[in-house]
Amino acid sequence: MIRANPVASPRHSRADALPQAIEPMLAVSGDLPADPDNWGFEYKWDGVRCMTIWNGRELRLLSRNHRVITQRYPELAAFGPALGKQPIILDGEIIALDAAAHPSFGELQQRMHVDHPGPELVRRTPVWYVVFDVLYSNGHSILDLPYARRREILETKLTAGANWHLSPFHVDRGEAMLESARKNCMEGVVAKLLTSEYLPGRRSPAWRKIKVVFGQEFVIGGWIPEKGDRLDRVGALLLGYYGRGGGDKTALRYAGRVGTGFDAPTHAMLVAALKPLTTSTNSFADPFPRGGAIFVKPALVAEVQYRRWPEDGLIQQASFKGLRDDKPARKIIREPQTKGAS
């Protein structure tokens, strides 16, 4: 597993040994940069991160927490052979589309937890792999090359297929792409500094996500039954993130609740997942009105959208989008915010 820049160079005469996994580079939240000609802009896809490792013979798709997910997406089986005989590692996102052909995390929920899906599910909810970076090319590490050069290499390596394609990329087009994302009901855009190296496992201001609608992952620390006594339906989820509690200790901080975004199948899925985790212990470090709360062990991670999150307050106008199994609960933090140019 790589967590820092490699010592290997793309100029080596023999191929580097491909790692078993690479920590994905992460973005901070912020505004459009004030110097857009120094940045490349891509859409922010509403899916799950996926690292591709192809050794020239075998395809391995890995989630953000290094779980093998190749068996979940049989429509990507031909992707490896389409890459040719040279070993390569790619970074991208797996997405599903709603009825209006917009990326939808809710639609992807039907696929992202299912191993070896049947033909009917694959037909009903197909997925696509959107590729946006290359980390190893021809068996050599290119993590230390600037982002602009990696994109040039990626465009020579990837040919679009039935279920995979290259994420659009433009320099100095942030405003236009953000407006396009807004019109097409997408999450927003990601700005990437053209000179930036790929920093595995780092959340770097060299990558900046600018959102149309805010959202992030939260840890579920409890729930409130619908109408106070409907134990078969969720009235609200109690959400938190890990940050400093008392002193320098890391604790689960209370971020607020989400009470919308549940349909009948979601109610059933959540109740089934929450009940085995029931505990008498409050996992939150902050006080809050209990209101009939049922506490659970902080193991589940929810994707949530919201309109506002004041620095000293709770999330507002939140909507549940789905559960994630690609991010450990202990790694969920309040995502850093940046303002202006970095």
Side-chain angles (χ1 to χ4, degrees):
M1 182 185 307
I2 294 180
R3 296 179 182 273
N5 286 344
V7 295
S9 164
R11 295 182 296 275
H12 282 185
S13 60
R14 62 181 180 82
D16 305 327
L18 288 183
Q20 291 299 303
I22 294 183
E23 295 274 357
M25 183 172 172
L26 305 175
V28 302
S29 297
D31 302 323
L32 286 169
D35 53 342
D37 55 331
N38 292 322
W39 298 74
F41 296 89
E42 304 173 8
Y43 289 117
K44 188 177 188 304
W45 301 97
D46 193 10
V48 292
R49 198 72 171 268
C50 177
M51 309 293 283
T52 292
I53 299 179
W54 169 251
N55 63 8
R57 303 176 305 279
E58 179 188 14
L59 178 71
R60 297 177 71 237
L61 304 178
L62 301 178
S63 69
R64 179 171 156 178
N65 59 350
H66 313 312
R67 183 173 296 173
V68 177
I69 55 174
T70 318
Q71 72 282 0
R72 296 181 180 178
Y73 306 111
E75 57 266 67
L76 298 179
F79 182 51
L83 293 171
K85 297 182 179 180
Q86 292 294 332
I88 193 169
I89 297 182
L90 302 170
D91 190 1
E93 193 113 346
I94 289 179
I95 65 169
L97 305 179
D98 62 17
H102 298 142
S104 169
F105 189 77
E107 287 295 317
L108 188 59
Q109 282 280 297
Q110 301 179 53
R111 290 292 304 278
M112 61 183 288
H113 306 293
V114 181
D115 287 339
H116 307 291
E120 176 57 26
L121 178 56
V122 172
R123 184 199 63 78
R124 188 174 69 247
T125 310
V127 302
W128 287 264
Y129 185 38
V130 184
V131 182
F132 49 70
D133 215 328
V134 54
L135 314 184
Y136 274 63
S137 175
N138 294 341
H140 297 291
S141 169
I142 57 172
L143 293 168
D144 54 354
L145 292 185
Y147 164 67
R149 178 60 183 139
R150 296 198 312 273
R151 281 291 311 205
E152 290 176 357
I153 294 172
L154 178 60
E155 290 174 8
T156 68
K157 297 293 183 181
L158 188 68
T159 301
N163 290 85
W164 58 87
H165 62 86
L166 185 64
S167 179
F169 158 78
H170 299 283
V171 177
D172 194 17
R173 291 286 306 279
E175 292 278 6
M177 291 190 72
L178 188 61
E179 181 59 28
S180 174
R182 186 176 290 110
K183 288 181 178 179
N184 288 283
C185 303
M186 300 184 72
E187 283 196 314
V189 300
V190 179
K192 298 180 178 179
L193 197 61
L194 295 175
T195 56
S196 61
E197 298 179 5
Y198 193 98
L199 303 173
R202 292 271 298 279
R203 190 179 293 277
S204 169
W207 284 15
R208 184 184 301 179
K209 51 190 174 184
I210 302 95
K211 299 180 181 179
V212 174
V213 177
F214 294 105
Q216 71 159 70
E217 303 83 28
F218 291 94
V219 181
I220 301 175
W223 63 293
I224 299 173
E226 190 176 77
K227 298 180 180 178
D229 59 358
R230 289 287 305 273
L231 296 177
D232 61 335
R233 293 176 66 86
V234 175
L237 298 173
L238 306 178
L239 307 174
Y241 64 94
Y242 282 97
R244 288 188 177 179
D248 291 330
K249 292 184 178 179
T250 299
L252 187 64
R253 308 302 305 273
Y254 181 60
R257 61 178 68 185
V258 57
T260 62
F262 311 132
D263 57 16
T266 304
H267 280 290
M269 178 270 293
L270 284 173
V271 169
L274 290 164
K275 281 188 174 179
L277 299 174
T278 301
T279 177
S280 59
T281 303
N282 176 7
S283 297
F284 294 110
D286 306 297
F288 63 93
R290 294 200 177 192
I294 300 173
F295 295 119
V296 296
K297 297 175 184 176
L300 298 178
V301 175
E303 180 82 17
V304 175
Q305 284 188 344
Y306 60 89
R307 291 291 177 180
R308 243 184 120 242
W309 191 1
E311 189 64 34
D312 57 350
L314 306 177
I315 57 170
Q316 300 172 6
Q317 300 179 30
S319 177
F320 176 79
K321 298 197 68 183
L323 291 180
R324 307 193 71 114
D325 64 358
D326 59 337
K327 300 183 180 181
R330 289 291 303 185
K331 290 190 176 182
I332 302 303
I333 62 172
R334 181 166 184 167
E335 294 184 358
Q337 302 284 322
T338 61
K339 294 293 182 183
S342 61

